[in-house]
């Protein structure tokens, strides 16, 4: 099979397509003929050598495709099913991928839209679970217009929370369409949030990593009421919980998102697609920081 791989650390020029042996599913896993694979910031961090140090490396944790082989004990999927989910081996950007956690693709969603979901909805749900977001809570989401932030806004609203979201001036109406009360980030953020919530907020989620944890702590009334998924250094400095998957991932949301999409209660992120051969171009677009939504590689 063709797969994205790099043999040395560096810029996007180190990426290439290589021939690798076809993977085989283990117990509880399914193999899919990949139709679309998500691209995330973790991909270029790995490529730069900021994460795993071994070489060579493959890329991609999110995939959507058609099941073509099932592992021992699999009873919830069959050959020919359209599914999406996580490739825990980090090799989803390929013609074939093994998924350890998966769910049916909602009928109204295409492969690109499905591949855009796993990381965004899992990260958002994990953070909301850790914060204990529930009915009646007021949640502030810092960086609400990206794929994770947009998922957090909508999933918090499904739980019955009031959501205030920060974004740039050009994304205010977009946040409103997701169900958030929008505010512009930057200087004066605290005052703008307090104009909507004079007593502050109950909880805060930082998705942007933009150095505003002290402000979020003040608005929420304590570091224990704040979670960040993007500011590891700030979390250590200010005593805020940094959410990562080491303590368990919220993969239950894979099976829960379909009914929400079909009921019109969740809108998948905007998708920008590239061919598998153009993975370097996708990296350059993502690293430029100007993309709203999700980057997806189309396969086949």
């Amino acid at each position: 099979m063709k797969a994205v791989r790099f043999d040395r650390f560096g810029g996007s020029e180190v990426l290439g397509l290589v021939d690798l042996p076809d993977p085989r599913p283990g117990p509880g896993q399914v193999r899919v003929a990949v139709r679309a694979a998500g691209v995330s910031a973790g991909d270029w961090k790995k490529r730069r050598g900021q994460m795993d140090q071994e070489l060579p490396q493959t890329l991609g944790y999110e995939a959507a495709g058609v099941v073509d082989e099932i592992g021992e004990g699999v009873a919830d999927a069959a050959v020919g099913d359209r599914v999406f989910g996580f490739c825990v081996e980090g090799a989803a950007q390929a013609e074939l991928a093994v998924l350890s956690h998966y769910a049916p693709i909602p009928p109204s969603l295409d492969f690109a839209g499905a591949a855009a979901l796993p990381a965004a909805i899992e990260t958002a749900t994990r953070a909301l679970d850790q914060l204990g977001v529930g009915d009646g809570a007021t949640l502030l989401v810092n960086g609400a217009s990206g794929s994770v932030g947009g998922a957090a806004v909508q999933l918090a609203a499904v739980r019955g929370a009031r959501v205030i979201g920060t974004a740039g001036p050009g994304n205010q109406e977009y946040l409103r369409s997701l169900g958030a009360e929008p505010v512009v980030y930057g200087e004066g953020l605290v005052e703008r949030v307090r104009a909507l919530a004079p007593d502050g907020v109950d909880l805060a989620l930082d998705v942007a990593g933009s150095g505003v944890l002290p402000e979020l702590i003040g608005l929420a009334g304590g570091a224990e009421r704040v979670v960040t998924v993007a500011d590891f250094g700030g979390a250590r400095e200010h005593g805020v919980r940094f959410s990562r998957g080491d303590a368990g991932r919220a993969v239950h949301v894979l099976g829960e998102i379909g009914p929400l999409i079909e009921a019109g209660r969740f809108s998948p992120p905007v998708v920008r697609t590239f061919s598998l051969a153009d993975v370097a171009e996708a990296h350059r677009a993502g690293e430029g920081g100007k993309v709203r939504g999700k980057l997806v590689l189309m396969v086949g």
Side-chain angles (χ1 to χ4, degrees), residues 145-207:
S145 63
S147 57
V148 175
V153 167
Q154 296 180 86
L155 293 172
V158 166
R159 298 182 182 206
R162 175 193 181 193
V163 185
I164 299 172
T166 77
N171 282 321
Q172 300 294 290
E173 285 305 314
Y174 174 65
L175 291 192
R176 193 171 280 111
S177 75
L178 296 181
E181 298 172 53
V183 295
V184 178
Y185 56 65
E187 186 176 350
L189 172 65
V190 171
E191 291 73 22
R192 288 190 290 276
V193 172
R194 287 198 180 277
L196 296 174
D199 296 326
V201 298
D202 299 310
L203 303 162
L205 170 59
D206 172 40
V207 179

Side-chain angles (χ1 to χ4, degrees), residues 6 9-12 14 43-49 283 287:
F6 60 92
F9 298 119
S12 59
V14 305
D43 290 338
W44 47 84
K45 289 179 181 178
K46 289 181 69 174
R47 191 203 71 222
R48 295 171 185 163
H283 275 229
E287 288 176 292

Side-chain angles (χ1 to χ4, degrees), residues 62-241:
E62 308 164 273
V66 178
V67 176
D68 77 342
E69 188 175 341
I70 60 174
E72 181 183 353
V74 171
D76 56 356
V79 172
D81 287 353
R82 298 191 329 143
V83 301
F84 73 109
F86 286 107
C87 173
V88 297
E89 291 83 7
Q93 295 170 15
E95 292 176 324
L96 297 170
V98 171
L99 304 186
S100 297
H101 306 288
Y102 54 87
I105 296 175
S108 64
L109 207 58
D110 61 14
F111 288 114
L117 286 175
I121 61 176
E122 189 281 325
T123 302
T125 299
R126 171 168 28 96
L128 297 179
D129 287 348
Q130 290 166 344
L131 281 168
V133 175
D135 188 26
T138 297
L139 171 71
L140 173 61
V141 179
N142 178 54
S145 63
S147 57
V148 175
V153 167
Q154 296 180 86
L155 293 172
V158 166
R159 298 182 182 206
R162 175 193 181 193
V163 185
I164 299 172
T166 77
N171 282 321
Q172 300 294 290
E173 285 305 314
Y174 174 65
L175 291 192
R176 193 171 280 111
S177 75
L178 296 181
E181 298 172 53
V183 295
V184 178
Y185 56 65
E187 186 176 350
L189 172 65
V190 171
E191 291 73 22
R192 288 190 290 276
V193 172
R194 287 198 180 277
L196 296 174
D199 296 326
V201 298
D202 299 310
L203 303 162
L205 170 59
D206 172 40
V207 179
S210 52
V212 297
L213 289 182
E215 289 88 340
L216 300 188
I217 291 169
L219 286 165
E224 73 280 1
R225 296 176 176 269
V226 180
V227 164
T228 179
V229 300
D231 189 354
F232 180 72
R236 293 185 63 181
E237 180 181 355
H238 300 290
V240 166
R241 180 169 186 170

Side-chain angles (χ1 to χ4, degrees), residues 12-13 15 47 275-285 287 297:
S12 59
E13 72 279 356
L15 297 170
R47 191 203 71 222
S275 71
L276 187 65
D278 289 330
V279 59
E281 183 183 348
H283 275 229
R284 289 192 291 270
E287 288 176 292
L297 302 175

